[in-house]
Amino acid sequence: MSERTAEEKAAELTALRAALAAEHAAVYGYGVVGGRIREGRRTEAKAAYDAHRARRDALVREVRDLGGTPVAASAAYALPFAVPDSAAAVRLAAELEDRVAGVYSDLVRASTEGVRGTATEALREAAVRAVRWRGGSVPFPGLAERAATPTASATPTA
């Protein structure tokens, strides 16, 4: 395998930082989901919250290992829509997973070897969780071309 260029390494670090930002937003979003979701789906929401926290923590280490500075979580994030009830919480959970899948798709493209394998696993996990929340699948999870909303992480509020 040939040596990676500085530009390729920088692209991987940028994609890792974007994935970290998306995980911060997902952790925040699942806090909202957990507060609105009906009792029967609370365990599923807690499992997703824990999975995103674990991915977030692993990404912090990965960014540091590559000599980068991890992006910090924002104090709050703007949600894509109001979440007044359990049905909206389920829609938010699916949206969070779609957004996370999008940034992991970008990381798969920008990375090599071990990071690519981890990103592929995270993309698969997000896609499976999205299917569970949505009740159906979408073709090519993680591709912005098929989504009505951008795959970037939720927008921080002021």
Side-chain angles (χ1 to χ4, degrees):
M1 176 175 240
S2 64
E3 189 67 26
R4 296 181 57 209
T5 67
E7 291 81 19
E8 289 169 332
K9 290 177 185 176
E12 181 176 75
L13 185 56
T14 298
L16 278 166
R17 293 181 80 222
L20 175 56
E23 290 292 5
H24 283 311
V27 167
Y28 178 89
Y30 269 104
V32 174
V33 169
R36 299 284 193 262
I37 199 81
R38 67 179 169 81
E39 183 68 33
R41 296 202 79 182
R42 233 174 245 151
T43 300
E44 187 178 359
K46 173 77 167 83
Y49 174 79
D50 290 343
H52 287 291
R53 285 182 52 200
R55 288 270 179 213
R56 176 201 64 195
D57 295 347
L59 285 165
V60 166
R61 289 188 297 275
E62 188 75 34
V63 167
R64 283 190 180 131
D65 288 350
L66 291 177
T69 302
V71 296
S74 295
Y77 293 83
L79 299 176
F81 47 83
V83 186
D85 56 24
S86 185
V90 168
R91 279 193 356 258
L92 177 60
E95 176 74 17
L96 293 170
E97 297 301 343
D98 285 342
R99 290 178 181 209
V100 167
V103 294
Y104 280 114
S105 177
D106 293 342
L107 183 55
V108 167
R109 285 189 293 272
S111 62
T112 60
E113 299 172 19
V115 172
R116 181 172 288 154
T118 301
T120 302
E121 180 182 320
L123 170 59
R124 181 191 57 78
E125 289 172 3
V128 168
R129 280 191 299 266
V131 166
R132 287 183 182 145
W133 287 118
R134 189 179 294 109
S137 64
V138 296
F140 306 111
L143 293 181
E145 295 83 351
R146 63 108 189 116
T149 59
T151 58
S153 62
T155 307
T157 60

